[in-house]
Amino acid sequence: MIILQGQGVSKGIEYGTVYFYRRQRAAASPQTGHDVTEQRARLERARAEAGEQLLQMAELARARAGDDAAELFETHAMLLEDEDYTGVMERFIAGGHSAEYAAERAGEQFERMLASMDDAYMRERATDIRDVTGRVLDLLGGVSREHPDWDSPVILAAHDLTPSETVQLDRNMVLAIATQAGSTSSHTAILARTMGIPAVCGLGERFNETYHGHEAFIVGETGELIFDPDPETLEALTERQKVQREQRELWRSMVGKEDVTLDGVKVEVCCNIGSPEDVGAVIANDAQGVGLFRSEFLYLAAGDYPGEEEQFRAYRQVAAAMEGKRVIIRTLDIGADKQVDYFRLEKEENPAMGLRAIRICLERPDVFRTQLRAIYRASAYGKVAIMFPMIANVWEVEECLRICAEVREELRQEGIEFDEHVSLGIMLETPAAVLMADRLAPLVDFFSMGTNDLTQYTLACDRQCSGLGRFYDPHHPAVLRALKLAADAAHAAGIPVGICGELAADSDMLPVFLALGIDELSVTPDAVLPLRAAIRSSTAKDCTLDLLDL
Ligand code: PEP
Ligand code: MG
């Protein structure tokens, strides 16, 4: 048995024949003396055609892997216009070199520069430059860039795959991907995950063409490529693969289906996201909406307060991409474990109980108003809702609603378009909010239970402290009682209640959620289809809280 260890970048187990993909392109000749006008025109034509192909590729990517993948190819098309990149080409053309040589040198220079950068993200962009340059070179040589053909499904192996090669892969013919280079943040890895193709990257030079035609197991979870498994390993892997395949087929068959139990009770499955880049996965997994958009990413990623325009663009991107499905944007939730230097917050002994989330917003109304204006403006481009985190007082909600009304009036006065019916909801993540749920419910349009913090505050157990182990238990009867209190108060007031903490994805808890009449579960994109499958095989009327003895 030979085990090659790489980095698991997309989950799944597959068994198949390794197909080493070789790109063949002869190096361009450095010879000079070419007709400058003619070579410049050839290069221009190839660049223009490459740009067109990339825009077509963007549409293909949009259909197969969502808007973020599409954006990647749009960026590639823009790279073709980059003045530094084209400037290098022009220098070689002016020196009498061929269009091929000019494109090859420019690509190499940029690839080398990016590959030597400290930043891992920038290093990965070297593959993008190689992809774009390769496309231009193929067009100059009259080579069509169709991906290789094979007769039966294979484990596709390569030094590295470019994003455009990955997105063009026929899912039915590629069992998995194994590459010598690449890492978890490479676009190829991201696309593989979005397209649900198991993948292992970074296998290194040991994994080379001598393995072409050999059969292997690839294990996306552990990053292993296993040749000639011993009998026990073979049996264990075959069994795991069978279970996983059945499960995956069941989950994929859930796309396009309703989130409804056998007896007709609806529970919407939505997604939690942390940035606009996550929307592709939300769409690929067919979620019913975004149940929690953690807007703080904008603040955490910035070196200074993000302005209204910058925020507006990010929220609009998500709202528009979701095409009418609801996007709940949670207002700024920093403090505690999410510290942002430029806020210059005082050092606190107990930051989880300090000036955080809504408390900061109410103390810094300028920051709050900027965010609310951006969210309201984005509401003209989709179905947006606003949610306030860490509520503990009725007056906090009243103040939030008053500020929202003022912001709406301001926008009206300025003649700026927004949706007049943006729903306003709150997170129930403090015991105080749960105990006051009957007073809070009539004030808002929805509740969402943040079980991560609710567990922390109910059990007085720091969610950041790994040493607390079993003491931090979201299944604790006190937390479940809190869920019941809040759900009952919401329903008495006629508003829906969701759960957006990690507990929502726990399918063992589904009968409890059904018994409580939870209306929405918001989970990570990869948990949507498994949860839908569980909902569709449940019967709500059989679910009771009796066994829990609450
Ligand atoms: C929660 O507390 O459950 C929640 C969803 O919010 P966050 O994890 O961002 O604090
Ligand atoms: Mg929280």
Side-chain angles (χ1 to χ4, degrees), residues 292 294 330 333 338 427 429 450-453 463 500-501:
L292 167 64
R294 291 180 163 101
R330 175 175 76 183
D333 183 13
K338 300 170 201 152
M427 290 195 70
E429 47 187 351
T451 48
N452 307 337
D453 275 319
R463 66 190 265 192
C500 62

Side-chain angles (χ1 to χ4, degrees), residues 328-381:
I328 302 180
I329 302 176
R330 175 175 76 183
T331 57
L332 180 59
D333 183 13
I334 61 158
D337 54 317
K338 300 170 201 152
Q339 291 295 328
V340 183
D341 289 347
Y342 56 83
F343 270 77
R344 306 206 182 291
L345 299 171
E346 270 183 37
K347 193 147 175 38
E348 297 170 324
E349 285 291 320
N350 292 303
M353 293 199 247
L355 193 63
R356 60 167 291 196
I358 202 65
R359 299 172 185 173
I360 296 180
C361 290
L362 295 178
E363 288 301 298
R364 308 273 282 270
D366 49 331
V367 174
F368 196 27
R369 278 171 193 277
T370 303
Q371 181 171 37
L372 290 173
R373 279 181 62 96
I375 300 177
Y376 269 111
R377 283 176 55 197
S379 72
Y381 297 84

Side-chain angles (χ1 to χ4, degrees), residues 28-47:
S29 156
Q31 197 186 339
T32 52
H34 291 275
D35 182 311
V36 172
T37 316
E38 186 191 318
Q39 295 305 315
R40 188 177 288 132
R42 284 185 66 225
L43 192 54
E44 283 302 303
R45 265 199 308 278
R47 274 182 40 220

